[in-house]
Amino acid sequence: MALEAFSRSEALTLGVELELQLLDTHDFDLTPRAEDLLRELTGHAGAWDVKPEITRSMIEIGTSIQRNHQGLRDELHDLRRQMSRAARKLNLCISGGGTHAFQHWSAQQIFPTERFHYISELYGYLAKQFTVFGQHVHVGVPSGDEAMWLLHALSRYVPHFIALSASSPFVQGVDTGFHSARLNSVFAFPLSGRAPFVLGWEAFGQFFDKMTSTGVVQSMKDFYWDIRPKPEYGTIELRVCDTPLSVDKAAALACYLQCICRYLREERPFQPEEDDYLVYTFNRFQACRFGLDGEIVDPKTKQRHKLRDDIIRTLARIDEHAVDLQALEASNLVRDSVFDGNDASWLRSLQRKPMPIPAVVEAAAQRWMG
């Protein structure tokens, strides 16, 4: 199968996808009610989309194409209102968070579609362990060449988004010590990690042809990279974020990415190189394990910095772009979370009160549903 042509998109447009937890209101465990909720949301008002995910205790929502923070935030608030209303009719709760705090993967049920059954057959128990919840952000780019350049330039900022969005400290009732334990489930897949270092669409097409000729992949959907091109949409897609506990934070993170992309496109502060990836895995692990308290290594200077400090410096660099993009409110929310802590820290603070784990999940659901 040949790689499709890269669709031309308006630069810096945004689309957000959120994978969400479906909870029973009795015990706040995951519940396999996706079909019921999807049926209730048939014919919903709004341009956003809702569809099933790999197991029946989760769904995915996707926004329409947006250009600024206010439009994106307003649409996310609208879909939250409609989804929360539908969930209450069914005695369900909906929650963000990168993992459910105490569910057991063996209890999950694969959603009955051909592709999900194929994934289950191919990956075995990993498919059910993939009951984790992420935020994906699409950014429009005008060409495939620019998409590949921007994808690799963004690799330096991947730890920012992991640490800021981290909301998965608990797995099967245990504090993992990680801020984002969700990504450990993603890394188990053989086609996860980073995209190959090619800076043009033609060169990427040659790589894609080699991969399809081996039979290892059939389409771009088979790549679980941290950032991947989406030629049918004309976007690049950032996939490392946990689903935040609020739609306001989801909107702010998307616009933080939008501002960084504008800064990179217009100022070209550096040229991405293969050697940028010498420290990529280390930096990504630090963000997963320690969140905003992690340390990252600059691929150019080889010096080590606090991740929190690197985000603060980046926010200062992009302030002018945030003003032009009408995203200053989003930048300020990101800046506040750098000092206040991420969602993983908030969940841990509840558990240490002490609060029983089901009550922590209930609090997270109340926060998402407003």
Side-chain angles (χ1 to χ4, degrees), residues 235-289:
T235 65
I236 56 172
E237 178 189 14
L238 179 75
R239 299 168 51 83
V240 298
C241 293
D242 286 358
T243 298
L245 298 182
S246 70
V247 293
D248 287 329
K249 189 160 193 177
L253 287 169
C255 291
Y256 181 52
L257 177 63
Q258 182 190 39
C259 294
I260 291 175
C261 287
R262 189 176 193 263
Y263 161 70
L264 292 172
R265 291 181 77 242
E266 296 198 359
E267 299 190 28
R268 299 271 169 155
F270 59 86
Q271 177 66 16
E273 299 177 358
E274 175 72 56
D275 282 358
D276 290 352
Y277 289 100
L278 293 174
V279 297
Y280 181 80
T281 303
F282 173 83
N283 290 348
R284 186 175 60 176
F285 172 81
Q286 284 280 313
C288 290
R289 174 68 176 86

Side-chain angles (χ1 to χ4, degrees), residues 207-223:
F207 164 82
F208 185 82
D209 289 343
K210 290 178 182 178
M211 290 298 293
T212 54
S213 70
T214 67
V216 173
V217 301
Q218 299 177 11
S219 72
M220 284 298 301
K221 288 183 178 180
D222 294 320
F223 294 115

Side-chain angles (χ1 to χ4, degrees), residues 16-17 46 124 151 155 300 317 337 344:
V16 170
E17 298 163 349
L151 182 157
S155 68
K300 290 296 183 187
R317 294 187 189 107
S337 67

Side-chain angles (χ1 to χ4, degrees), residues 70-215:
Q70 181 174 336
L72 177 61
R73 184 188 57 194
D74 289 349
E75 184 171 49
L76 286 171
H77 274 269
D78 174 61
L79 68 85
R80 183 187 68 173
R81 281 192 298 269
Q82 294 193 53
M83 290 185 65
S84 297
R85 188 183 310 124
R88 290 188 181 102
K89 287 183 180 180
L90 298 169
N91 289 320
L92 296 175
C93 285
I94 300 176
S95 181
T99 57
H100 184 275
F102 62 88
Q103 66 93 14
H104 286 264
W105 64 266
S106 59
Q108 301 311 313
Q109 303 171 19
I110 300 297
F111 195 92
T113 69
E114 183 178 349
R115 175 164 176 79
F116 293 149
H117 281 306
Y118 164 76
I119 293 173
S120 180
E121 288 294 321
L122 178 62
Y123 292 114
Y125 83 107
L126 291 179
K128 290 187 177 182
Q129 285 203 333
F130 210 39
T131 306
V132 292
F133 308 85
Q135 172 179 352
H136 302 165
V137 183
H138 292 261
V139 179
V141 283
S143 71
D145 287 346
E146 181 169 344
M148 298 312 297
W149 185 93
L150 190 57
L151 182 157
H152 291 294
L154 281 170
S155 68
R156 298 189 183 191
Y157 300 93
V158 161
H160 291 205
F161 291 92
I162 294 173
L164 287 165
S165 69
S167 58
S168 52
F170 304 116
V171 173
Q172 297 192 165
V174 176
D175 189 331
T176 64
F178 279 72
H179 281 241
S180 177
R182 163 188 163 267
L183 282 172
N184 293 328
S185 296
V186 179
F187 298 158
F189 285 77
L191 297 174
S192 63
R194 45 158 287 205
F197 188 76
V198 293
L199 293 176
W201 192 244
E202 182 178 352
F204 182 76
Q206 293 169 359
F207 164 82
F208 185 82
D209 289 343
K210 290 178 182 178
M211 290 298 293
T212 54
S213 70
T214 67

